[in-house]
Amino acid sequence: MSVVIPVYQGERTLGSLVAELEPLTQARSTPGGRRMVVEEVLLVFDHGPDGSADVIRALAREHTFIRPIWLSRNFGQHPATLAGMASSGGEWIVTMDEDGQHDPAAIGGLLDTALDEQATVVYARPTNPAPHGALRNSASKTSKWFLAKALSGGESTKFQSYRLVLGEVGRSLAAYAGSEAYLDVALGWIAGEVVSSPVALRAEEGRPSGYRLRTLLSHFWRMVLSSGTKGLRLVSLIGVLFSFCGLVIVVYVLISYIFFDVGDEVRGWASTIVVLLFGFGAVLFSLGVIAEYVGVAVKTAMGKPPYLIVSDPAQGPLGRRE
């Protein structure tokens, strides 16, 4: 197995997480009696604001199973995860967060589920509420439901950053996924059976979440765009709906003038303005959605990479300060 950990703010949590992973680097049995071993732990440095880089270097000197992966700048969690997948060599790839939420002891259960159900992707299914607060948990469930139902996102309700992926599937995905692709949506394009396995989440180890409202909204929007052209079809549906409403209003006005006495005074200016504003708002929203799809296509055509791996800056020209 290869364990991939994108690192953004791991200065205070990486040491204890690696200490929990270290026993798994010796061959052992899963709960189902299979033999497994973690051969490498890839720490992907994503240029966070703390001292994670120094911690990664110290851990690499101390443990032979640690493999640092250095990105040229901050790309985000999903591109960092893809970079780790591309650099891995295990038959299976485990991805997990740096903050201590994900218990490494559950890796064996994920592998048992994959082999029992012949699945190429296994997501951790939390058996307890995520330690993020009721508002964020509700927003996460709602967005996943919307993607699964409204945009036919398939397995989106299972999405979790704690996942087990067949090695060749993960490395193939990292080879072709575009810069705007949402990792889990892209996995669904090629994965065979996708299942989940029960795992208890732990509290984050005394550090604030690296996600802010803007970041979470960006993740949701990337999920929508990566789901295909369903968003554009929704735009078309909105256009048809407003056209039908306009037709109904026209019929109502004609019937009123023909069969009822409406008088000579001018009426309905407020209603007319409301309809115009609402209609123009729908048009502008639709154009905005189309523009987002065009933007994704342009970035893909220009060859924008989802990540770029470089050497350790401290060991290269940037590290020569004298």
Side-chain angles (χ1 to χ4, degrees):
M1 285 190 171
S2 299
V3 176
V4 173
I5 304 174
V7 179
Y8 182 71
Q9 294 186 80
E11 181 179 10
R12 290 186 288 175
T13 58
L14 276 180
S16 57
L17 179 57
V18 169
E20 289 185 278
L21 286 167
E22 184 175 10
L24 302 180
T25 61
Q26 304 297 321
R28 59 181 54 229
S29 296
T30 67
R34 280 100 172 192
R35 300 293 286 174
M36 59 159 278
V37 62
V38 172
E39 293 186 333
E40 57 182 0
V41 176
L42 298 96
L43 303 179
V44 186
F45 178 62
D46 197 27
H47 287 259
D50 62 0
S52 295
D54 293 332
V55 174
I56 291 175
R57 295 183 186 106
L59 290 171
R61 289 192 296 268
E62 183 179 352
H63 304 287
T64 57
F65 59 86
I66 295 292
R67 287 188 56 200
I69 305 296
W70 306 94
L71 300 185
S72 62
R73 63 168 178 83
N74 174 252
F75 285 92
Q77 182 185 23
H78 284 199
T81 303
L82 287 171
M85 286 182 170
S87 306
S88 68
E91 293 180 326
W92 293 92
I93 301 171
V94 176
T95 67
M96 58 194 311
D97 290 347
E98 61 184 9
D99 55 17
Q101 271 192 78
H102 302 152
D103 187 356
I107 292 177
L110 297 177
L111 179 60
D112 283 334
T113 300
L115 296 177
D116 288 340
E117 303 194 31
Q118 291 297 286
T120 55
V121 179
V122 181
Y123 287 104
R125 184 176 71 251
T127 57
N128 58 315
H132 297 308
L135 181 60
R136 177 171 165 181
N137 290 342
S138 299
S140 176
K141 290 181 180 180
T142 302
S143 62
K144 291 178 180 179
W145 177 89
F146 174 79
L147 182 66
K149 301 300 182 181
L151 300 180
S152 302
E155 306 292 336
S156 61
T157 53
K158 299 177 182 177
F159 289 176
Q160 255 280 340
S161 54
Y162 196 9
R163 58 177 86 79
L164 174 73
V165 183
L166 189 66
E168 57 186 2
V169 170
R171 284 184 286 274
S172 297
L173 173 67
Y176 72 74
S179 60
E180 299 302 310
Y182 192 85
L183 190 155
D184 296 295
V185 174
L187 266 177
W189 298 340
I190 59 172
E193 189 72 15
V194 178
V195 299
S196 61
S197 180
V199 172
L201 296 180
R202 305 185 299 190
E204 296 174 338
E205 295 186 5
R207 45 146 277 190
S209 173
Y211 287 101
R212 299 293 180 265
L213 177 61
R214 179 177 176 275
T215 311
L216 294 172
L217 290 175
S218 175
H219 268 287
F220 171 71
W221 195 238
R222 183 177 291 186
M223 287 173 65
V224 172
L225 296 181
S226 298
S227 65
T229 57
K230 297 295 194 306
L232 291 175
R233 294 175 186 174
L234 283 179
V235 170
S236 301
L237 180 61
I238 291 173
V240 172
L241 179 62
F242 277 98
S243 299
F244 176 76
C245 291
L247 180 62
V248 170
I249 293 174
V250 169
V251 171
Y252 170 76
V253 171
L254 289 176
I255 292 176
S256 297
Y257 272 94
I258 294 173
F259 296 101
F260 300 97
D261 182 15
V262 296
D264 297 329
E265 60 179 300
V266 177
R267 300 178 181 178
W269 283 109
S271 301
T272 301
I273 294 300
V274 169
V275 170
L276 287 174
L277 290 176
F278 197 55
F280 280 125
V283 171
L284 291 175
F285 171 77
S286 303
L287 291 176
V289 173
I290 295 172
E292 291 286 349
Y293 278 98
V294 172
V296 170
V298 169
K299 289 179 181 178
T300 302
M302 292 175 64
K304 179 183 178 182
Y307 59 86
L308 175 64
I309 299 175
V310 298
S311 59
D312 181 357
Q315 303 299 323
L318 290 175
R320 299 170 190 157
R321 300 173 183 265
E322 295 180 1

